[in-house]
Amino acid sequence: MSDAAPWLDDEEMSAWLPLIGLVMRLPGALDQSLRRDVGLSHFEYGVLAVLEQAEDQTMRMSDLAYLCNGSLSRLSHVARRLEGDGLLRRYACPTDGRSTLATLTDGGREVLKKAAPGHVQTVRDLIFDEFSRDEIRLLGDMCRRIIARIQAQ
Amino acid sequence: MSDAAPWLDDEEMSAWLPLIGLVMRLPGALDQSLRRDVGLSHFEYGVLAVLEQAEDQTMRMSDLAYLCNGSLSRLSHVARRLEGDGLLRRYACPTDGRSTLATLTDGGREVLKKAAPGHVQTVRDLIFDEFSRDEIRLLGDMCRRIIARIQAQ
DNA sequence: TCGGGTTGCTTGATGCATCAAGTAGTGAAG
DNA sequence: CTTCACTACTTGATGCATCAAGCAACCCGA
């Protein structure tokens, strides 16, 4: 936390503007190809993708929400829709009656399989084709450091 | 554009996850303090802030939309609300009847003045206090390169 | 074992973003 | 001077995110 807070100088501004530009434009760019290919938003895709990597392809709602960078409320709404479309299923946790477990269905796996190649291509086109290995590591580190500060808020 | 599109490897994944984490969490973090302080979203604040820097504090809607990283439609809706709140005014462009010019009102300037210190503080807390000058330059460059690819889509 | 506090999740209302469609002005070819 | 395509913007409908409130289930101390 800085003591005084003078307005950003030119150098800072010429990093800040691109950063918010990125942050505001990337979600839309990611949504577009996924919507077109399989009718999912990037957030919905993320939910399924995280589930796929999970033990038994099953996860507590709150853990899922955290890993998907969204609120529990947002996830709850989205999970209702995805469940309605047969892409995941929810059931009460046997060991803790408060928790809900979400698990990927066969339909969900299929949609993921269908969506993945196009999505990966988009990600490569937008990010990884642009940078060297070293730059990629650096980018990841910087993002992690900012996230840590957001969490600390 | 890469030829094949194999799934991301571990190194790529450990940059990709933080990047989308950042992109999904930063907007909310920026909205929060602005909402609390002056009841504006970050996008609305951005519209006013860009106008303030403009020649005569006035700008064509489409140029404004571009600089604010949003669609013209989004800006149009937002401008209607901001105009309703007396923070900006719109009027027909005298030289091109298709264009609309938006200009900052005194009320808009006041709100900006009230919002700026807290917002700058947030931005410093989240970003600039974390990084050296060199890192900041680097971050800006990387974001610019990604944006260029998004635009090229 | 019972009360208060906490956790985990869902829901309904509100407000915002997005998309497609519509209107109107402009420029340029014929 | 008219028509056609294009640009600039607005609008209305839909669907999504967010917030506050609510409801169980759990935990823990007395």
Side-chain angles (χ1 to χ4, degrees):
Chain A
M1 180 120 49
S2 56
D3 282 347
W7 186 236
L8 305 179
D9 63 37
D10 287 355
E11 263 188 357
E12 290 168 327
M13 211 54 174
S14 80
W16 176 240
L17 294 180
L19 177 58
I20 50 179
L22 168 65
V23 154
M24 299 189 72
R25 301 186 118 111
L26 188 54
L30 295 174
D31 277 348
Q32 244 183 327
S33 56
L34 283 169
R35 278 251 177 261
R36 177 169 34 76
D37 292 356
V38 292
L40 292 180
S41 69
H42 180 250
F43 183 75
E44 291 167 328
Y45 176 87
V47 169
L48 299 181
V50 168
L51 267 185
E52 191 183 36
Q53 300 302 313
E55 178 100 14
D56 294 328
Q57 307 201 327
T58 297
M59 198 176 285
R60 277 175 72 231
M61 289 289 282
S62 33
D63 297 336
L64 190 51
Y66 177 79
L67 288 176
C68 292
N69 303 295
S71 68
L72 186 51
S73 168
R74 181 179 186 182
L75 175 62
S76 184
H77 286 296
V78 164
R80 182 170 40 72
R81 288 171 232 149
L82 292 176
E83 191 167 30
D85 294 345
L87 305 185
L88 60 76
R89 204 160 23 91
R90 284 181 293 176
Y91 57 94
C93 175
T95 66
D96 184 339
R98 293 167 298 181
S99 300
T100 302
L101 300 176
T103 190
L104 207 56
T105 63
D106 292 343
R109 269 182 287 276
E110 266 178 51
V111 168
L112 266 180
K113 206 168 170 181
K114 186 160 163 235
H119 179 58
V120 172
Q121 186 62 58
T122 304
V123 172
R124 291 206 173 281
D125 288 351
L126 293 180
I127 313 289
F128 294 105
D129 288 355
E130 175 67 32
F131 296 110
S132 71
R133 280 293 183 182
D134 284 351
E135 289 174 324
I136 286 169
R137 243 190 310 277
L138 207 54
L139 181 61
D141 286 344
M142 289 179 139
C143 290
R144 258 187 295 274
R145 287 161 70 187
I146 298 174
I147 290 172
R149 283 183 170 256
I150 294 175
Q151 314 266 37
Q153 247 187 353
Chain B
M1 180 123 44
S2 55
D3 281 347
W7 187 235
L8 305 179
D9 63 37
D10 287 355
E11 261 189 358
E12 290 168 327
M13 210 55 173
S14 80
W16 176 240
L17 294 181
L19 177 58
I20 50 178
L22 167 66
V23 154
M24 300 188 71
R25 301 186 119 112
L26 188 54
L30 295 174
D31 277 347
Q32 243 182 327
S33 56
L34 283 169
R35 278 250 177 261
R36 178 169 34 74
D37 293 355
V38 293
L40 291 180
S41 70
H42 180 249
F43 184 75
E44 292 167 327
Y45 176 88
V47 169
L48 299 180
V50 168
L51 267 186
E52 192 184 35
Q53 300 303 312
E55 177 101 12
D56 293 329
Q57 308 202 328
T58 297
M59 199 176 284
R60 276 176 72 230
M61 289 289 282
S62 32
D63 297 335
L64 190 51
Y66 176 79
L67 288 176
C68 291
N69 303 295
S71 68
L72 185 51
S73 170
R74 181 178 186 183
L75 176 62
S76 185
H77 285 296
V78 165
R80 182 171 39 73
R81 287 171 233 148
L82 292 177
E83 192 168 29
D85 295 344
L87 305 185
L88 60 76
R89 204 160 23 91
R90 284 181 293 177
Y91 57 94
C93 175
T95 66
D96 184 339
R98 293 167 298 183
S99 300
T100 302
L101 300 177
T103 190
L104 206 57
T105 63
D106 292 343
R109 268 182 289 276
E110 266 178 53
V111 168
L112 266 181
K113 205 168 171 180
K114 184 159 162 235
H119 180 56
V120 172
Q121 186 63 56
T122 304
V123 172
R124 291 206 172 281
D125 288 350
L126 293 180
I127 313 289
F128 294 104
D129 287 355
E130 175 67 32
F131 296 110
S132 71
R133 279 294 182 181
D134 284 351
E135 289 173 324
I136 286 169
R137 245 188 309 276
L138 207 55
L139 181 62
D141 286 344
M142 288 179 139
C143 291
R144 258 187 295 273
R145 288 161 69 187
I146 298 174
I147 290 172
R149 285 186 167 255
I150 294 175
Q151 315 267 37
Q153 247 187 354

